[in-house]
Amino acid sequence: MSDHPSLKNSVALLSGFGKHRAELLSKEFGIESLYDLLFHFPIRYVDKSRFYSISEIQSEYSYVLVKGVLFDLRTAGEGRAKRLVGELKDATGSLELVWFKPPQFLLKTLKNGQVYQVFGKTSRFGNSFSIAHPEISKLANPIDVKGLGIEPIYSSTDKLQKAGLSQRIVKEGIRKIVTSIDFSLAENLPKSLIQKLQLPQKTEAIRNVHFPQNLKQVDLALNRFKFEELFFLQLRLLYKNLVGQKKIKGRRFDHVGDLFLKFYEHHLPFDLTNAQKRVIKEIRKDLGSGIQMNRLLQGDVGSGKTMVALLSSLIAIGNQSQAAIIAPTEILAQQHYNDLAALLSPISVNVALLTGSTPKKERKVIFDELSSGSLNLIIGTHALLEDTVVFKDLGIAIIDEQHRFGVAQRSKLWKKAEVPPHILVMTATPIPRTLAMSHYGDLDVSVIDELPPGRKPILTQHRTDSARLKVFQFMKSEIAKERQVYVVYPLIQESEKLDYKDLMDGYESIQREFPPPHYQISIVHGGMNAEAKAFEMARFEKGETQIMVATTVIEVGVNVPNASVMVIESAERFGLSQLHQLRGRVGRGAEKSYCILMSGSKISDDARTRLEAMVRTQNGFELSEIDLQLRGPGDLMGTQQSGTLQLKVSDIVKDADILYRAREAAEWILKQDPELALPEHQGIRATLNRLLRGNLLWSYIS
Ligand code: ADP
Ligand code: MG
């Protein structure tokens, strides 16, 4: 069965639509064909599926359909309070109907003694009930007891309403389509799934979405469409993976190499956690498989991802290939470079740093060494992605703090080697399971779910500006114990000037409170050049300054174990993941650490939820779930990537259950028929091909 060909026709042909309204419909909702109109789903339903008897009405604010005889119709009140009042009576009782500012036609047409059907919202009126502004019409067939069914309500816009495209016209248009004799839609889910999951057929589901007999049918029908949407999303990701495994060869690093072994056995600065060991094993397996690795490594702040990056790089280098580690900021790249160069000093690995501020001369040397192959490991920022950076043989690219990287950037990496390099994406912002499954379904996921031993929980508190003096006192007491303190200000690009002023005002008040020579203060912000930033960071790292006043440039990667207090100013302006990242800058040493979230006393509900969540938990996964609830998937993925997941009926937050089922189903189908070659899978195949051509998903980057 296929879609009936006439469904391609324009909606302009439907009675009541016409050319002008059809054009508007296209502009407002992108609806052009009859088929499109079928997928303009109601936004809600009004239940008129049965008549209530009046004595059955028990609760206020419920919508009921009743029928009865109208009596005692009268106008009451004067001027603005003027209203039309009547009583509706059936065999069981009566209720009051009232219209404020009644329209003329009601005054003219309503008559005592007539039988009417009435629909509206109940409110209590003394001992009985009342309905204000009910829908009322003469009862066509007084002995009809079936009610009026479930009424769909469609979304509309001002423009459409002004143009006279009413609910009734839309509804009747759709009714015409679905009741035509030869109406049919191609079923694109295989029989096996429909049976297994007891889903309604597509044709039936469309009918029930628009003209259901009861609300249960609506649920079943909507769930089918949600399932269908998520099923194809999953199928697309998994199918591409399968194809990828066949076609996208990767280099095979079949031994870990001497470098890795030497480092692992003699130079590890600490015992790896079990989670780190497990993840490294997973990566080793990927690198030895001959298939290109695309792996996402999730691990909370401080879980030790850097060591995983290093060991993975050593495998590539030990196989005579090169490795690159890419960080989102210069400070982080610099820090990685310092840490890794120190760790690597006992073994012979040639490592360099490349950022936007690497001097020209040095840059040239690095370029030469990269292309000749004498440079084994390069650490850098986005600068590494530029076309001028040419590797002899890039074997693995590791991207740290992935959420700042767009797809376009990821794809640039692929082009840096003939056989695409293995890719490891590391993120400290845990991605909720549903998001990982929908946005990163094409990546394998590793998780470091364990922190190195000896970490103490960070005590987090929310304080308002009125407690500032106490906070200063607390900072002093920590500094007296020779600890160090961060004070962070928000930086939001659009209002950079304002932010800068906040930062400078704050800096001045801290300077007043913490005067030299007893106290030394560092300051780092986006307006400083790299050299000045590095200088200030170094002073803080060496303990020459006790306080680091900064904007969010320090958000990722900074590692000063002696710092024990993180004060976040205007904390209500930060997102949850940012707050969590910032908090992760403390608690890195043996000392008890603190995070103080400063805000004004008036903050939005969302901001309060965020701050309360921060105080309550330190679990990054839990926070990411809350973040997803608060912001929705689009926002969470960053503007660059939002809107890319064009889900029409489903919502990966609310429909997580359906998403899991869809994932399982897609796996089940592909297991039976990886090529989608079976006759019963041609429906899925056709839909899939259409989706793949549309290339809507960014997350796959070939
Ligand atoms: P992140 O996952 O946030 O990048 P890092 O790699 O920066 O974490 O590690 C945080 C700190 O923990 C670093 O000082 C690092 O040396 C230390 N570390 C990492 N792994 C271990 C371990 N297994 N045992 C003890 N300390 C570790
Ligand atoms: Mg890190």
Side-chain angles (χ1 to χ4, degrees), residues 269-273 276 299-307 336 339 400-401 426 428 448 452-453 455 557 559 561 585 588:
F270 37 67
D271 291 335
L272 296 184
T273 61
Q276 282 170 316
D300 221 331
V301 196
S303 62
K305 294 184 294 295
T306 315
M307 186 47 76
H336 275 333
D339 294 351
D400 199 7
E401 309 298 352
M426 305 198 295
I448 305 186
R455 296 274 164 82
N559 190 19
R585 297 309 110 207
R588 305 195 143 219

Side-chain angles (χ1 to χ4, degrees), residues 25 108 179 288 302 434 442 452 510 601 671:
L25 209 48
K108 279 193 195 135
T179 52
T434 51
D442 61 329
I510 289 169
S601 49
K671 211 164 144 195

Side-chain angles (χ1 to χ4, degrees), residues 456-463 474 564-566 583 586 592-597 614-615 618:
K456 296 210 176 88
I458 300 163
L459 181 67
T460 304
Q461 289 189 316
H462 175 201
R463 291 278 176 267
F474 178 70
S564 65
V565 182
M566 168 63 67
R583 177 166 59 184
V586 295
K592 172 123 190 86
S593 296
Y594 305 86
C595 175
I596 301 169
L597 307 168
M614 282 291 292
V615 170
Q618 220 176 306

Side-chain angles (χ1 to χ4, degrees), residues 187-199 201 668-669 680-681 684:
E187 180 54 69
N188 55 355
L189 290 177
K191 256 207 198 96
S192 57
L193 268 186
I194 294 217
Q195 274 166 5
K196 194 171 145 152
L197 301 172
Q198 302 195 329
L199 303 169
Q201 294 278 350
W668 185 68
I669 293 283
E680 63 264 35
H681 292 158
I684 341 183

Side-chain angles (χ1 to χ4, degrees), residues 372-396:
S372 76
S374 63
L375 193 56
N376 310 115
L377 172 61
I378 181 96
I379 297 167
T381 52
H382 295 61
L384 279 178
L385 298 173
E386 279 158 28
D387 293 336
T388 43
V389 181
V390 178
F391 291 82
K392 174 155 188 273
D393 178 30
L394 179 62
I396 185 168

